[in-house]
Amino acid sequence: MAGKGKKMERIMGVLPGLLLSAAVMLAGVYAAEMIAFLLSAADILPEGSASPISGIFTAILIGILVRNLIGLPVFLDAGIDFALKYALRAGIILLGLRLSLTEALKLGAWGVPLIIVCISTGLFVTLYFTRKLNQSSRLGTLIAVGTGICGVTAIMATAPVIKARENEISYAVANITIFGLIGMLFYPYLANFFFADNPVKAGLFLGTAIHDTAQVAGAALIYAQVFNADEAIDVATITKLTRNVFIIAVIPFVSYLFFRNARKNGDGKAGQLPKWYKLFPLFILGFLLLSLIRSIGDATVSSSGEAFGLFSPAAWKGFYGFWSSFGSTYMLGIAMAAVGLSTNLKAFKGMGITPFYIGLIAAVAVGSISLLLISLFGDLVAV
């Protein structure tokens, strides 16, 4: 009985902070939907577009406001910490159902190398300028993966591996959101300027140059409706999802670079290079497993008409759609609300504006290399 009592006590200790994180998450989701509605009403976004500012980002902002304007009692800390650790991992694992490895095959032999070069540009340009401008290597690593791979999701997946602080996570998410939003509104017209009669090239550009998945979808919708080129939506979506798959390899790689450089700089505990398997955390293995399940399910739908011989195409789509959306919207949203609720604005003092300059340089570099490569090799890609 004593064991049950202690278990109940732990649950009750966690519950208040967890419920607060969930409430902030729901407020963030609602705020993001209202932003999408207002932008559509103002004809800035096509009708039916997803919000270019994710519920995750708005949840962080609301959490920061609650923490710094209202303040939080100590008894909420346990639940907030629980959301930071476990809701985050659950959300990233469920995101694996969003990514089908077979989608990458649609880009053919030339599409994937183009994506790899764009990812590499984002990573190495960001890390180079972080080092040259003497900025926090943790913050630079977060901005690098957010720029190179898939925005907020990549930042959140990398943060626990390199033990990033809440203010660094918030700063990186804000950085990626701002430049991704600018790209979403500006890049459709830039794509038309360079690739006016080629929706495949335009879709490749939007999918490789814009940070977050929702922002890519929004940019593709703008391009399709303004320039009457629906094919660009499919190409941009496939390109972005293929780019997202590289989270599996990039997170261990950039984590290795972080710890190796920290060790060279004599950064105490942070400089102790972990064992290789600690650079490939368990939640990424879960992400990979669910991605493989999604890929096999899609393959069996294509070959036999039923996923695993059990699910009709509609049932299979509903299954992975529900759980991947639950992970990306609710689990990651709760975790990000907890990030906001844990962030003291005083911690931003001393971080300055320089990391935003690094984010700008990285965004411009990725966009430029994407334009160059697609201009040279885009005709070789058939989707």
Side-chain angles (χ1 to χ4, degrees), residues 97-122:
L97 287 171
R98 179 182 288 182
L99 302 178
S100 174
L101 302 178
T102 57
E103 292 291 332
L105 300 177
K106 296 180 180 179
L107 291 174
W110 287 93
V112 173
L114 291 179
I115 292 172
I116 291 173
V117 174
C118 290
I119 290 174
S120 301
T121 299

Side-chain angles (χ1 to χ4, degrees), residues 10 16 76 101 103 193 203 205 235 247 265:
R10 285 197 297 270
L76 294 170
L101 302 178
E103 292 291 332
F193 178 80
F205 171 65
V235 178
I247 194 174
N265 295 331

Side-chain angles (χ1 to χ4, degrees), residues 62-334:
I62 293 170
I64 289 174
L65 292 175
V66 170
R67 169 64 184 251
N68 291 275
L69 296 182
I70 300 174
L72 296 174
V74 174
F75 74 88
L76 294 170
D77 289 348
I80 293 171
D81 289 342
F82 182 89
L84 268 171
K85 292 177 182 177
Y86 298 106
L88 171 63
R89 286 160 173 76
I92 291 171
I93 289 169
L94 288 172
L95 274 179
L97 287 171
R98 179 182 288 182
L99 302 178
S100 174
L101 302 178
T102 57
E103 292 291 332
L105 300 177
K106 296 180 180 179
L107 291 174
W110 287 93
V112 173
L114 291 179
I115 292 172
I116 291 173
V117 174
C118 290
I119 290 174
S120 301
T121 299
L123 293 176
F124 288 108
V125 167
T126 307
L127 295 175
Y128 173 80
F129 280 99
T130 296
R131 186 171 64 254
K132 287 296 182 182
L133 296 175
N134 297 315
Q135 296 300 297
S136 161
S137 57
R138 282 189 177 88
L139 179 57
T141 299
L142 296 180
I143 295 172
V145 295
T147 301
I149 314 174
C150 51
V152 175
T153 304
I155 290 171
M156 293 314 304
T158 306
V161 183
I162 64 172
K163 298 179 174 60
R165 296 186 293 269
E166 283 78 11
N167 63 320
E168 293 170 329
I169 297 170
S170 298
Y171 201 126
V173 170
N175 194 309
I176 292 303
T177 299
I178 289 170
F179 293 119
L181 180 61
I182 292 171
M184 186 201 74
L185 297 175
F186 175 65
Y187 282 1
Y189 302 95
L190 187 65
N192 183 66
F193 178 80
F194 282 98
F195 314 119
D197 57 348
N198 196 319
V200 171
K201 287 184 177 182
L204 281 169
F205 171 65
L206 298 176
T208 53
I210 298 174
H211 301 336
D212 200 72
T213 303
Q215 294 164 346
V216 170
L221 278 171
I222 292 172
Y223 184 90
Q225 294 194 8
V226 173
F227 304 110
N228 193 28
D230 289 342
E231 188 180 1
I233 298 175
D234 294 333
V235 178
T237 301
I238 292 170
T239 302
K240 187 64 177 74
L241 291 177
T242 302
R243 182 175 156 200
N244 292 356
V245 169
F246 284 90
I247 194 174
I248 298 165
V250 170
I251 287 178
F253 175 66
V254 296
S255 300
Y256 167 77
L257 292 179
F258 168 79
F259 285 108
R260 187 195 66 178
N261 292 336
R263 183 178 60 179
K264 285 182 178 179
N265 295 331
D267 189 13
K269 185 178 177 180
Q272 297 173 7
L273 189 64
K275 300 293 185 182
W276 67 268
Y277 52 83
K278 291 186 178 180
L279 297 174
F280 204 85
L282 290 177
F283 62 84
I284 291 298
L285 291 177
F287 174 95
L288 175 59
L289 175 62
L290 290 192
S291 183
L292 288 172
I293 290 173
R294 165 70 191 279
S295 303
I296 294 169
D298 285 359
T300 52
V301 165
S302 299
S303 62
S304 66
E306 290 186 323
F308 301 101
L310 299 172
F311 300 100
S312 68
W316 174 239
K317 185 176 181 180
F319 172 79
Y320 71 69
F322 171 82
W323 286 109
S324 64
S325 178
F326 181 78
S328 64
T329 301
Y330 297 104
M331 289 293 97
L332 287 184
I334 288 173

